[in-house]
Amino acid sequence: MRAALICIDKPDHLQTRLDNRAAHLDHITSSGIVEMAGPFLDAEGGMIGSLVILTVNTMDQARSWAEADPYAKAGLFQSVTIREWKKVVG
């Protein structure tokens, strides 16, 4: 199954994102369950959140991945929504 993580950054936390970006990218690479990922952008092109699509066996696995994300551990996110997602096109 796929799970979509929709993560919205806390206001004025760009430096937290930048400080933890390398560890976040390593978490993505090393986990082996990320199908695609990328930041949400504001009108000026600044990073303000993340969309991550995971391929998992259970929603608990998706929640565990999200909790272990260095961005989450650093307190970057204002909110994290995890939903089961079905790919239809693309």
Side-chain angles (χ1 to χ4, degrees), residues 7-21:
C7 308
I8 305 301
D9 294 1
K10 292 176 182 173
D12 302 316
H13 272 65
L14 178 59
Q15 193 59 52
T16 301
R17 176 175 279 275
L18 296 175
D19 290 347
N20 292 279
R21 187 166 173 79

Side-chain angles (χ1 to χ4, degrees), residues 71-89:
Y71 280 170
K73 288 183 172 186
L76 173 62
F77 300 128
Q78 176 177 294
S79 66
V80 176
T81 303
I82 304 173
R83 301 270 187 219
E84 187 172 348
W85 181 71
K86 180 180 177 182
K87 181 179 178 180
V88 174
V89 177

